[in-house]
Amino acid sequence: MKSVRRVWIVFIITAFVLSSLTPAEGFAATKSHHHKKRHHHHSSSQNGPVHFSELVVDGRTGKVIYSKNANARRYPASLTKMMTLYLTFDALKKGKMRLDQTLMVSDKASQQPPTNIALEKGDRLPVRIAIESVVVRSANDSAMALGEALGKTEWNFALMMTKKARELGMKDTVFRNPSVLPDNNQHTTAFDMARLAIALRRDFPEYYHFFSMQSFDYNGVTYPGHNHVMERHPEWVDGVKTGYIRASGYNLVTSAHRDGHNLVAVIMGSRTSQSRDSQMVSLLDRTFGQLAVKHKHVADDDTDTDDSGDALEANNVENVEPLQVGQGN
């Protein structure tokens, strides 16, 4: 009888503790119990071990040239800021914001963790500097200032970001903040990040040059950028964004032009920034090289055909449809 009573007491205490946990804590408490089931159900950085993702698409047609785990859900990290900038450019284009306009820095914006540019509550931040610092330095305080200016609150801006993602065809993306902070419900895929990269160039050619910046100046300080692939190959790489948090690994979206071809490539889940950068350069070099060979064969055969939509066999291309990028405006 005593043993039965003891079991009931333990059960009641356990139920009480679990009911008091937040959703995130409850998830962690039951993680080991459901690990095998989730691992087989969904391959992503949020559910089980990180699986490396790679993707190369034609930047004009959206044709998928190469993909590997490109539909696995992942934390976007600072790739999130690509959408923050999309909505910023949209506001500029529609006259709702100006580059010479200044933003009032809130207490919340000033308290954003690194990377930041040490903004303080009450600072007046020019929109142009906010954009430059988000592109080059991936500044979380500037991203929050832009988000609050456009959405009034962080939560409302996150809803705006997710709504725009749906309009652009990013069906596997949900945003919860304008910068980088981890959130169990903030996720994306390599496919969706490629859609966003294509939309940024297509919809805002007048502002796309910001993504090629490698440094900017603010308050007497010169801030260098994080995009070392662009530093190494400025002759053919023109953006777009790096990203990292521990949960996501090292991410990179790159737009590149060479020999008349435009490629958008995405790498997510690298273990180091150096390996990510080397993998990106190798991926682009190999793809451009194969496109050049294919173009030469077409010219030699004197065949009138559009090779931009053909898959490259050497890259083990998955059988997927071209990316459909919706109109965001």
Side-chain angles (χ1 to χ4, degrees):
M1 187 69 179
K2 288 184 179 179
S3 61
V4 173
R5 185 179 304 164
R6 189 177 298 111
V7 169
W8 273 106
I9 292 173
V10 171
F11 176 82
I12 293 170
I13 293 174
T14 301
F16 174 80
V17 170
L18 287 176
S19 67
S20 67
L21 294 175
T22 65
E25 291 169 331
F27 174 80
T30 58
K31 183 177 181 180
S32 60
H33 179 70
H34 298 289
H35 173 76
K36 286 187 178 180
K37 182 178 180 180
R38 291 200 328 274
H39 175 67
H40 290 292
H41 177 69
H42 203 318
S43 172
S44 79
S45 64
Q46 291 160 297
N47 298 320
V50 171
H51 293 282
F52 187 68
S53 290
E54 290 180 312
L55 176 67
V56 183
V57 303
D58 185 294
R60 293 184 298 269
T61 67
K63 178 65 180 180
V64 178
I65 299 174
Y66 170 76
S67 65
K68 177 181 178 181
N69 298 322
N71 62 351
R73 283 188 176 181
R74 300 183 173 280
Y75 293 112
S78 282
L79 300 186
T80 298
K81 298 184 179 82
M82 292 168 60
M83 180 58 82
T84 300
L85 291 166
Y86 186 99
L87 292 178
T88 299
F89 295 156
D90 190 45
L92 289 168
K93 188 173 184 177
K94 293 176 178 177
K96 298 179 180 179
M97 182 178 276
R98 305 186 318 275
L99 285 174
D100 61 354
Q101 176 183 339
T102 58
L103 309 175
M104 178 68 73
V105 176
S106 70
D107 182 60
K108 186 169 189 176
S110 70
Q111 293 183 21
Q112 294 302 297
T115 302
N116 57 48
I117 56 172
L119 295 176
E120 297 183 359
K121 180 181 178 180
D123 282 351
R124 305 292 299 191
L125 179 68
V127 170
R128 180 184 294 276
I129 296 298
I131 293 171
E132 293 175 355
S133 63
V134 169
V135 169
V136 176
R137 197 63 179 168
S138 207
N140 294 323
D141 46 4
S142 296
M144 183 62 72
L146 286 169
E148 290 180 329
L150 292 169
K152 307 305 180 185
T153 67
E154 178 184 21
W155 178 249
N156 189 56
F157 187 67
L159 294 177
M160 293 169 59
M161 295 169 76
T162 302
K163 180 176 183 291
K164 185 59 65 177
R166 293 295 173 276
E167 293 174 3
L168 294 176
M170 300 168 65
K171 61 184 177 61
D172 292 318
T173 297
V174 173
F175 293 111
R176 285 291 182 263
N177 58 65
S179 52
V180 62
L181 299 182
D183 186 299
N184 284 341
N185 295 314
Q186 180 151 294
H187 57 76
T188 190
T189 65
F191 278 130
D192 279 0
M193 285 293 107
R195 288 183 175 91
L196 181 53
I198 292 172
L200 279 163
R201 177 186 290 281
R202 179 197 66 195
D203 296 342
F204 310 110
E206 66 272 43
Y207 300 119
Y208 194 79
H209 67 276
F210 281 110
F211 288 110
S212 65
M213 295 184 63
Q214 299 181 36
S215 66
F216 74 100
D217 298 317
Y218 178 62
N219 276 352
V221 178
T222 298
Y223 293 89
H226 300 299
N227 196 334
H228 302 303
V229 170
M230 188 164 56
E231 290 177 3
R232 290 163 59 181
H233 299 283
E235 71 279 7
W236 46 273
V237 175
D238 55 24
V240 271
K241 192 76 187 68
T242 62
Y244 169 78
I245 56 173
R246 184 174 299 176
S248 74
Y250 288 86
N251 304 332
L252 177 61
V253 178
T254 298
S255 171
H257 290 77
R258 188 197 291 178
D259 301 328
H261 299 288
N262 170 220
L263 299 177
V264 170
V266 183
I267 287 180
M268 304 184 77
S270 291
R271 294 186 180 276
T272 68
S273 60
Q274 292 83 2
S275 64
R276 173 198 64 190
D277 296 347
S278 295
Q279 287 163 330
M280 178 61 77
V281 171
S282 176
L283 187 61
L284 289 170
D285 263 338
R286 184 172 71 245
T287 307
F288 277 126
Q290 291 174 332
L291 285 171
V293 170
K294 191 174 183 65
H295 183 76
K296 183 178 185 301
H297 287 167
V298 170
D300 289 345
D301 292 341
D302 194 27
T303 303
D304 184 17
T305 183
D306 178 13
D307 66 319
S308 64
D310 292 337
L312 301 180
E313 294 179 357
N315 274 351
N316 299 317
V317 185
E318 296 175 6
N319 185 22
V320 292
E321 295 296 321
L323 293 186
Q324 300 299 318
V325 183
Q327 296 294 326
N329 296 320

